[in-house]
Amino acid sequence: GFGLILFLLGNEFFGPNSLFSKKRNNVGEIAGESVSYEEYRQKMEEAENDFIIRTGKNVTENDRTSIQEQAWNELIFKYAYAPEFKKLGVTVTKEELTEMVQGKNIHPTIKQLFTNPQTQQFDKNFVKEFLRNIDKREQRDQALWYSVEKSLSPDRLKTKYFNLLKLSNYVTKEEAKNEYKNQTAKRDAKFLYVSYYTIADSTIKVEDDDLKEYIDKNKDKYKVEEGRSIDYVTFALNPSKSDSAIFSKELTELSNEFKNNDNDSLFVINNSDNPQAPSFKNIGELPEQLKSMANNLTIDSVYGPYNQAGKIVIFKVLSTKNDSVYSARASHILIKPNGDTPEAKAEALKQANSIIAQIKGGAPFEQLARVHGTDGTASRGGDLGWFSQGQMVKKFNDVVFAASNKGLIPQPVETEFGYHIIQVTETKTNKKYELASVEREIVPTEETKDLAYNKAAAFAASVNDTSEFNKALKKDSLTKLSAKNFKKNDKYINSLPNAREIVRWAFTDAKVGTVSQVFTMDNSYIVAIVTGTREEGTASVDDVRDEVKVKVLNEKKAEKILEKLKDGKGSLEEMATKYGTGATSNTAKDVTFATSSVPSMGYEPVAVGKIFGLQKGKRSAPFKGENGVAIVEVISETPAPEIADYNVYKTQLTQQRSGREDYSIDEAIKKHAEVKDNRFRFF
């Protein structure tokens, strides 16, 4: 009998269309309506198609992220907004849609699509002509139009609804008048101030119980989403030496074909990972490998392959020409005088002549440059590389470009920087070379990938808990990385891009101590272990320890300062003297209620409130502020003069409020709809 009941009810509870199956297949809930995976997926496909139609390009991973949000927002519109429109009777008529397309109230998207590129003016006749012949337009143009047309009605509905709420925003004359007074009325006040920084943190004892008590008192400030923490290790997919050799061999074999090819531009396009059009370069612009052989480069010759920044490159010289600007190469040893006096200059010149004598006697220029050079070229033997005529200071430039032979300039050359000992390493030339290049990025071969994956898989298989994970890291000399409290919809973990697979695993299939399978990232394999979970609600002490500790320290410091000031008598200056080190007394002038700062105090909104809450000549009791404890005493006040027109301040307040309206309305709708987002389980 029991078996029969299970058979009859099993499909209801456990079958493909069961209650449990449907619940597992939901990506969320909006206004009490369950959103199925299929419905969300369909919205995403529609959004992707619209994106391709409107942009004319394929969807990238970054694009897909925004498309997912667009699809989700469309479902919020359907289930949260649309019922509100219906309740209020907000609709869009056919006549309105016509007005938005070719009437007096043209929608911005229509204006953008039908703006004349020559005149930059919107042309209504162009719209009418387009629609009259829409069935004869290209398929993409038709699809683009229907995509735009479909979005007009929802956009106008939302605009109407928002305006119903936004137009209820009103600033009264009294509000404007108060804002004027807050900005214009001024007060001067004496104050005594003791900053919390005057008490060393080390003198205050803070326990975890203190931190927890503070968090409990301020729960609204420390609300957190559900989170997960993991440790993980990466197994990098770096090309091996054999991978480099494979690509080098490939380009070596390609070199002869490149040399004998007649259409070099097409050859580059067909064979290079990063095709670049051939271009002319002077010697200073040549790749480093070709600079040393510049005078021996010949037309139609191919040079390489060279290993260059993770790529294998070959170069072909297509032609040469003479430029209007000359280039040369030189090294120098700069001797700076130790001061501007004639004696200092004479000493520097003497040293320069001594070094020149050593070079003439056979001492290596590069070695002496490393010993005596006083600028950044010393570490590379004085080499300045290739430089164009006019690039160096005039005296230096003139000597180098006047040289007809390579070698040492026999006399020091004085410039505003000091005395230069110059060796011309390449005489001037105005020759330019037209180069074409083919490059291949060195990427891991399948064999290298397999080796890295097997290493990662072996690591994952060898550990079952946190202790074994840490032991295996130490044994294999691997580096442990940690990610704390990432959220269920996060797309990045630390510097790992597109980490959704790891996030989904951590939130759906794992608990503390669970070791992951091997995750495949762009340039590495990753194995992770869950080290902690955080429930939605109030942050724990560990979550916000550093932030809260500062707050608690300041509260405890405030208590000590207040205790010391409570029986203070006399003037504020006398009280500051009696308090001792750390207390200052001063006068703050022209304080306004609209600010949150007091001159010489800094950000202290409580102090501002106290100053405007006291009568002239009255003094406050010691009070706790943001960054210290203060006592204030009002010494003068300048009321705001009456004015006839407060419209400027009315406009200011209206703009301040309107800047938050769209966001506030949207958040209120979502809150009322009790949106539950479980997309992290699927995407």
Side-chain angles (χ1 to χ4, degrees), residues 20 35 38 74 92 137 145 149 156 202 211 261 286 356 366 413 417 450 461 489 503 513 606 619 636 655:
F20 293 147
V35 181
E38 290 77 14
E74 286 182 12
V92 177
R137 301 282 177 183
W145 172 255
E149 187 180 45
R156 178 52 59 89
S202 58
L211 303 180
N261 195 278
L286 287 175
I356 287 175
E366 294 79 5
V413 176
F417 299 105
D450 289 344
N489 288 319
V503 175
V606 175
R619 178 191 296 181
S636 69
Q655 289 175 345

Side-chain angles (χ1 to χ4, degrees), residues 203-419:
T203 64
I204 307 295
K205 188 176 182 181
V206 176
E207 305 283 356
D208 278 7
D209 287 344
D210 299 321
L211 303 180
K212 189 175 186 313
E213 182 181 354
Y214 183 88
I215 294 169
D216 289 341
K217 287 180 180 177
N218 299 274
K219 286 184 177 180
D220 287 345
K221 294 181 181 178
Y222 297 102
K223 288 182 179 179
V224 292
E225 294 182 41
E226 185 180 3
R228 296 289 184 270
S229 297
I230 62 170
D231 287 341
Y232 63 96
V233 59
T234 64
F235 297 85
L237 280 173
N238 295 323
S240 64
K241 289 183 179 179
S242 61
D243 294 336
S244 297
I246 289 170
F247 283 94
S248 183
K249 181 181 178 183
E250 185 179 322
L251 283 193
T252 299
E253 294 169 353
L254 203 62
S255 295
N256 193 51
E257 188 179 344
F258 193 16
K259 180 178 180 179
N260 298 314
N261 195 278
D262 293 329
N263 193 332
D264 298 299
S265 296
L266 184 61
F267 188 87
V268 169
I269 291 171
N270 290 334
N271 292 283
S272 182
D273 286 345
N274 182 29
Q276 300 286 336
S279 61
F280 278 95
K281 300 181 183 297
N282 61 38
I283 291 182
E285 296 168 336
L286 287 175
E288 288 299 323
Q289 299 91 337
L290 302 186
K291 283 180 181 178
S292 59
M293 61 177 78
N295 293 330
N296 299 315
L297 295 176
T298 57
I299 295 173
D300 289 333
S301 293
V302 175
Y303 300 88
Y306 302 110
N307 193 321
Q308 181 174 290
K311 299 172 184 176
I312 301 293
V313 191
I314 54 176
F315 302 100
K316 181 178 180 180
V317 180
L318 307 184
S319 64
T320 62
K321 70 176 183 179
N322 291 328
D323 193 14
S324 58
V325 177
Y326 282 84
S327 296
R329 185 172 184 175
S331 298
H332 83 144
I333 303 172
L334 176 62
I335 305 299
K336 296 179 181 178
N338 189 21
D340 293 330
T341 63
E343 293 79 12
K345 288 185 177 182
E347 183 61 33
L349 177 59
K350 180 180 177 182
Q351 183 184 358
N353 282 319
S354 172
I355 294 170
I356 287 175
Q358 293 178 57
I359 296 169
K360 289 178 178 178
F365 186 98
E366 294 79 5
Q367 183 177 328
L368 292 176
R370 290 187 174 91
V371 174
H372 299 288
T374 57
D375 68 349
T377 66
S379 61
R380 55 179 185 268
D383 184 24
L384 291 163
W386 285 89
F387 49 89
S388 300
Q389 195 166 15
Q391 190 174 337
M392 298 295 182
V393 291
K394 189 175 186 311
K395 288 184 179 179
F396 190 101
N397 178 88
D398 291 348
V399 169
V400 171
F401 283 93
S404 55
N405 297 304
K406 295 190 287 187
L408 181 70
I409 302 298
Q411 300 296 329
V413 176
E414 183 183 6
T415 71
E416 57 263 42
F417 299 105
Y419 292 96

Side-chain angles (χ1 to χ4, degrees), residues 617-636:
K618 296 295 183 180
R619 178 191 296 181
S620 73
F623 61 88
K624 179 177 65 176
E626 284 290 318
N627 299 298
V629 171
I631 303 171
V632 296
E633 180 180 315
V634 178
I635 55 177
S636 69

Side-chain angles (χ1 to χ4, degrees), residues 536-595:
E536 183 177 2
T538 306
S540 68
V541 169
D542 287 335
D543 288 338
V544 289
R545 179 181 297 277
D546 292 341
E547 178 186 348
V548 173
K549 187 175 180 181
V550 172
K551 301 287 187 183
V552 173
L553 277 169
N554 286 346
E555 285 198 344
K556 288 179 174 285
K557 290 177 181 180
E559 290 171 6
K560 293 183 73 170
I561 298 168
L562 288 168
E563 179 65 26
K564 197 170 179 180
L565 288 173
K566 71 177 182 179
D567 297 325
K569 295 179 181 179
S571 68
L572 294 181
E573 292 84 355
E574 290 170 342
M575 289 178 66
T577 301
K578 183 178 178 182
Y579 181 93
T581 304
T584 60
S585 61
N586 209 331
T587 299
K589 292 184 175 294
D590 297 334
V591 180
T592 62
F593 191 74
T595 65

Side-chain angles (χ1 to χ4, degrees), residues 85 107 154-164 166:
F85 303 155
H107 191 276
D155 187 68
R156 178 52 59 89
L157 280 169
K158 199 169 182 179
T159 299
K160 284 185 172 185
Y161 181 74
F162 272 45
N163 282 343
L164 282 171
K166 290 160 71 172

Side-chain angles (χ1 to χ4, degrees), residues 358-582:
Q358 293 178 57
I359 296 169
K360 289 178 178 178
F365 186 98
E366 294 79 5
Q367 183 177 328
L368 292 176
R370 290 187 174 91
V371 174
H372 299 288
T374 57
D375 68 349
T377 66
S379 61
R380 55 179 185 268
D383 184 24
L384 291 163
W386 285 89
F387 49 89
S388 300
Q389 195 166 15
Q391 190 174 337
M392 298 295 182
V393 291
K394 189 175 186 311
K395 288 184 179 179
F396 190 101
N397 178 88
D398 291 348
V399 169
V400 171
F401 283 93
S404 55
N405 297 304
K406 295 190 287 187
L408 181 70
I409 302 298
Q411 300 296 329
V413 176
E414 183 183 6
T415 71
E416 57 263 42
F417 299 105
Y419 292 96
H420 302 263
I421 302 160
I422 301 173
Q423 180 171 268
V424 177
T425 50
E426 295 290 346
T427 55
K428 69 177 182 179
T429 176
N430 64 344
K431 200 171 189 179
K432 295 191 83 170
Y433 300 84
E434 187 184 15
L435 284 188
S437 63
V438 173
E439 64 180 46
R440 294 283 175 83
E441 185 178 353
I442 305 171
V443 295
T445 60
E446 289 303 317
E447 182 181 357
T448 300
K449 290 179 181 178
D450 289 344
L451 286 171
Y453 181 84
N454 291 338
K455 188 176 179 181
F459 178 90
S462 70
V463 297
N464 295 298
D465 55 35
T466 304
S467 175
E468 291 180 0
F469 188 91
N470 290 328
K471 286 179 182 177
L473 287 173
K474 189 174 182 180
K475 176 186 173 185
D476 296 337
S477 300
L478 297 170
T479 301
K480 179 173 73 176
L481 301 168
S482 298
K484 299 293 184 184
N485 292 324
F486 54 83
K487 299 181 284 295
K488 61 186 178 183
N489 288 319
D490 284 352
K491 294 174 177 60
Y492 299 90
I493 295 178
N494 292 346
S495 60
L496 298 175
N498 304 321
R500 287 297 306 156
E501 191 178 358
I502 301 176
V503 175
R504 284 198 301 274
W505 163 78
F507 276 91
T508 57
D509 302 327
K511 58 184 180 180
V512 174
T514 300
V515 179
S516 75
Q517 76 274 23
V518 178
F519 294 110
T520 304
M521 306 300 285
D522 292 341
N523 298 308
S524 63
Y525 295 114
I526 291 174
V527 178
I529 184 169
V530 177
T531 57
T533 62
R534 182 181 71 186
E535 299 303 319
E536 183 177 2
T538 306
S540 68
V541 169
D542 287 335
D543 288 338
V544 289
R545 179 181 297 277
D546 292 341
E547 178 186 348
V548 173
K549 187 175 180 181
V550 172
K551 301 287 187 183
V552 173
L553 277 169
N554 286 346
E555 285 198 344
K556 288 179 174 285
K557 290 177 181 180
E559 290 171 6
K560 293 183 73 170
I561 298 168
L562 288 168
E563 179 65 26
K564 197 170 179 180
L565 288 173
K566 71 177 182 179
D567 297 325
K569 295 179 181 179
S571 68
L572 294 181
E573 292 84 355
E574 290 170 342
M575 289 178 66
T577 301
K578 183 178 178 182
Y579 181 93
T581 304

Side-chain angles (χ1 to χ4, degrees), residues 170-173 176-177 180 643-654:
Y170 182 75
V171 177
T172 66
K173 182 179 178 180
K177 189 175 181 179
Y180 162 70
I643 58 175
D645 187 358
Y646 297 98
N647 280 331
V648 171
Y649 301 92
K650 191 172 185 177
T651 301
Q652 286 180 9
L653 287 175
T654 301

